[in-house]
């Protein structure tokens, strides 16, 4: 008897939906609590708490609807064998326009074009509602409908330009890879990630946002002094116009070896009371670099990618697996899609493990900034970011343990304060 792979996948997807919905309900109940956590009393104003609560509840209600529609659509696509049907239709389309449907690369690109169009159309109502109703209602959305669609069109153009090259390369590697296929696929993705990490901030990100050098002044001097004291090879310091789309704030760094760059959202500069809070946030980010968190994460991703491709090579020729999902042929891309579905249980476990590690890294980066003397400023900066972004003040411990890559504010503040108490 052939194992019912497709039915097992759908069953697990539904099981995970109920489990995650249970966690969502726990978080929803936590958000509805009428009082701040004791740790935040006197730290977060009641006005900000009420705004945060209203924003979080709106997002929670929207999330319930979005996840319900998503599980219905994903289950229907598999159970009603929409993928094999669409694969055949994409081949018929090639014949209709006078192209060779037997050419797997052309057939795959035709299939992906239809999938991309379907994804855009089905996701569009949710994106519009999230951006122009929820985000706008709570004062975050700053973009016009024109800017929204312009970004979407730019993203599609990039996918049309870059997608065929990447997909074609993957298909050729799989067809000619032989016994070392997994290594070749990993090597290709490794090189591709390095190229994209190099080109994205230089060529792609500027298509969506404007990056300008941080003006000369006290803030720039303090950041450069901090970077120099840690021997961080800072080459450029930018401000990005995040305010053109949203009033949410952030800061990040990127770059290889001796060519590092730091980017501040203009909203972060506007929201923080003083330069010390911004510098403290940067000290936290530099802590990730100094403690090699970025490198550890990159290595972990590479190992997981290699293992995934290794697993794929074990099942890519399984006729029973393809037939279970309704395919009588074994295209490369379809094999990768099916494999991704069959390892969903492992992916959930890996994601949970990575979140645990990420939260540990956040505590370490906070401690690093504290050792540099930024405890008070970091504390104030974290509170300010929580307030201005209207992040949830009350969090369910099960929900945060499963979903959060960053510890809740209450836990971070407690960790920052704890050494002081010990020293006393």
């Amino acid at each position: 008897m052939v194992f019912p792979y497709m039915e097992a996948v759908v069953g697990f997807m539904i099981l995970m939906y109920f489990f995650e919905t249970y966690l969502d309900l726990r978080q929803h109940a936590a958000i509805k609590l009428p009082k701040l956590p004791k740790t935040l009393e006197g730290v977060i104003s009641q006005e900000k708490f009420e705004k945060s609560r209203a924003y979080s509840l709106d997002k929670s209600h929207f999330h319930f609807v979005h996840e319900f529609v998503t599980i219905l659509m994903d289950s229907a696509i598999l159970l009603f064998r929409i993928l094999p049907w669409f694969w055949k239709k994409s081949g018929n389309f090639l014949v209709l326009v006078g192209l060779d449907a037997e050419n797997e690369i052309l057939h795959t690109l035709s299939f992906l074009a239809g999938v991309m169009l379907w994804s855009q159309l089905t996701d569009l109502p949710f994106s519009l509602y999230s951006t122009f109703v929820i985000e706008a209602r709570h004062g975050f959305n700053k973009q016009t409908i024109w800017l929204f669609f312009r970004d979407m069109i730019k993203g599609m153009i990039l996918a049309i330009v870059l997608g065929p090259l990447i997909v074609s390369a993957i298909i050729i590697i799989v067809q000619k890879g032989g016994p070392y296929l997994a290594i070749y696929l990993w090597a290709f993705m490794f090189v591709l990630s390095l190229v994209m990490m190099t080109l994205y901030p230089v060529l792609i990100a500027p298509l969506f946002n404007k990056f300008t050098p941080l003006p000369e002044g006290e803030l720039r001097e303090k950041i450069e002094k901090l970077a120099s004291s840690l021997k961080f090879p800072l080459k450029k310091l930018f401000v990005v116009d995040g305010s053109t789309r949203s009033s949410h704030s952030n800061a990040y760094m990127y770059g290889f070896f001796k060519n590092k760059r730091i980017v501040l959202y203009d909203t972060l500069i506007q929201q923080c009371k003083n330069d010390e809070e911004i510098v403290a946030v940067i000290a936290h980010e530099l802590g990730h670099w100094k403690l090699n968190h970025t490198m550890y994460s990159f290595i972990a991703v590479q190992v997981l990618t290699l293992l995934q491709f290794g697993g794929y090579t074990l099942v890519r020729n399984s006729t029973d697996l393809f037939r279970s999902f309704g395919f009588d042929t074994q295209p490369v891309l379809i094999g990768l899609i099916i494999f991704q579905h069959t390892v969903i249980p492992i992916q959930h476990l890996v994601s949970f493990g990575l979140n645990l590690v990420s939260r540990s890294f956040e505590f370490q980066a906070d401690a690093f900034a504290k050792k540099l003397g930024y405890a008070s400023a970091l504390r104030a900066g974290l509170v300010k970011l929580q307030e201005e972004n209207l992040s949830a003040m009350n969090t369910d411990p099960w929900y945060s343990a499963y979903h959060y890559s960053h510890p809740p504010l209450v836990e971070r503040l407690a960790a920052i304060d704890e050494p002081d108490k010990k020293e006393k």
Side-chain angles (χ1 to χ4, degrees), residues 129-140:
Y129 187 85
S130 175
T131 303
F132 294 100
V133 178
I134 296 179
E135 295 294 306
R137 179 185 296 159
H138 297 279
F140 287 117

Side-chain angles (χ1 to χ4, degrees), residues 332-358:
V332 170
L333 178 78
I334 298 302
L336 287 167
I337 293 174
I338 291 175
F339 175 72
Q340 287 299 315
H341 277 86
T342 57
V343 296
I344 286 176
I346 298 175
Q347 289 175 336
H348 279 283
L349 289 175
V350 169
S351 177
F352 177 69
L354 291 176
N355 279 344
L356 289 177
V357 174
S358 176

